[in-house]
Amino acid sequence: MKSEIIHAPPGSPGAEASADTVVTELFVVHRLALVRLAFLLLGDQGTAEDVVQDAFAAVYRRWSKLADRGQVLPYLRTAVVNGCRMILRRRAIIGRFRGRPEVPFWSAEAAALLGETRRQVFLAVRALPRRQREVLVLRFYLDLSEAEIAQVLGVSRGTVKSTASRALKVLAVKLQEER
């Protein structure tokens, strides 16, 4: 999951790749992992795909303004997490007016992919507070380091460590109760 796009050394022919080339390559290599990340945060496949598509479109539109093009993948991860946060805020507002929380829709495909045990873990993770959920998904799904998670979420490494620790304790208790 940690594969990065490798470009030609600066100063060599083709060193400055076009937005079309780089964004297409990133899309092919990382789209599925980013959709899964968004799905784990949102619980909705269609919305997850929309969030990822929006993130790639933003990178493409802002290509000429990117200061460090070697950091496009971390930027995409951050954009996906922020897009998911925006969707979850909207859902919370709508839920307040409807008077009932939105329950994730489990398509036959999603249910088959997750299986019953994975579904229980998924639901337990979904019940965590937002930051705890984000830290665990980035750590255990994308296998990011504490430093990378801190960069994506805009927090310190210490915050990542303590948040992960608290989240794992809550999950252990929750999943033990369900047995």
Side-chain angles (χ1 to χ4, degrees), residues 48-108:
E49 290 172 356
D50 290 344
V51 167
V52 171
Q53 181 177 341
D54 290 345
F56 276 101
V59 165
Y60 185 79
R61 279 191 315 273
R62 296 181 185 122
W63 184 255
S64 65
K65 296 175 184 151
L66 291 177
D68 187 357
R69 293 184 182 158
Q71 294 295 313
V72 176
L73 184 57
Y75 173 83
L76 281 167
R77 289 179 183 139
T78 301
V80 168
V81 169
N82 288 339
C84 291
R85 286 176 178 170
M86 184 180 65
I87 298 294
L88 292 171
R89 279 192 298 270
R90 280 191 205 143
R91 287 180 180 173
I93 291 167
I94 291 169
R96 278 187 238 140
F97 288 108
R98 287 186 182 162
R100 59 181 158 76
E102 230 178 89
V103 177
F105 172 75
W106 293 100
S107 67

Side-chain angles (χ1 to χ4, degrees), residues 35-48 84 87-88 91 102-107 110 114 122-123 126 133:
V35 168
R36 287 179 180 156
L37 166 65
F39 175 77
L40 289 170
L41 295 174
L42 295 171
D44 173 17
Q45 181 78 23
T47 306
C84 291
I87 298 294
L88 292 171
R91 287 180 180 173
E102 230 178 89
V103 177
F105 172 75
W106 293 100
S107 67
L114 292 176
F122 175 80
L123 291 173
R126 291 274 304 138
R133 183 174 58 245

